[in-house]
Amino acid sequence: MRTLISLILNIIWLITAGWLLFLGYVLAGIVACILIVTIPFGLASFRIAGFVLWPFGREVIDTGKPSGLSTLGNVIWFVVAGLWLAIGHVLTAIPQALTIIGLPLAWANLKLIPVTCFPFGKQVVSSSDARAQMLPVARS
């Protein structure tokens, strides 16, 4: 049942905002890859593009490996692309929130803003994998 709901929400998402946000991330990724030094930013943008195209049924988790480079990368990303992409999420969430069926889509859109602003040190996984990682380990 959960996968059917995810499928329906993903289809509605794709029509109402997913394709537009996907294009924004792909454009940012292409620009970043053209400037050779910023290829890691382009790869992060492409990773997020795949997530925003079909977000339901997947989650963003911390990799648990913070480093100075990822922090520096996040700061640079936020200034160059993250802020502008986050504005895109807000602008697409507003019309989604105007309808009852669009409320979960608008909420999902706003939940994407943290990974949009700070993508380094994050990983996209299926929701079931994310839940499995959160379960407490049984102690013997």
Side-chain angles (χ1 to χ4, degrees):
M1 182 67 172
R2 180 175 288 213
T3 57
L4 177 62
I5 293 171
S6 292
L7 175 66
I8 292 168
L9 287 172
N10 276 320
I11 291 170
I12 296 169
W13 170 268
L14 184 64
I15 294 167
T16 62
W19 68 273
L20 184 62
L21 293 169
F22 173 79
L23 290 177
Y25 282 100
V26 168
L27 178 63
I30 290 170
V31 170
C33 286
I34 288 172
L35 308 168
I36 304 296
V37 176
T38 55
I39 287 176
F41 297 96
L43 297 177
S45 186
F46 294 141
R47 187 177 68 238
I48 299 169
F51 181 51
V52 300
L53 191 61
W54 205 257
F56 293 95
R58 298 192 292 169
E59 305 284 331
V60 174
I61 60 169
D62 286 321
T63 60
K65 303 173 197 167
S67 72
L69 285 177
S70 65
T71 302
L72 178 64
N74 279 329
V75 170
I76 294 169
W77 172 267
F78 178 77
V79 172
V80 174
L83 177 62
W84 307 109
L85 292 166
I87 290 170
H89 281 285
V90 171
L91 292 177
T92 55
I94 291 170
Q96 287 175 330
L98 297 177
T99 65
I100 291 173
I101 197 165
L103 284 174
L105 302 172
W107 179 246
N109 217 340
L110 297 176
K111 282 176 50 177
L112 287 167
I113 290 176
V115 73
T116 295
C117 291
F118 309 107
F120 295 101
K122 305 279 193 282
Q123 181 180 4
V124 178
V125 298
S126 71
S127 295
S128 58
D129 289 345
R131 281 190 298 278
Q133 289 181 3
M134 295 176 129
L135 293 176
V137 177
R139 300 186 192 264
S140 28

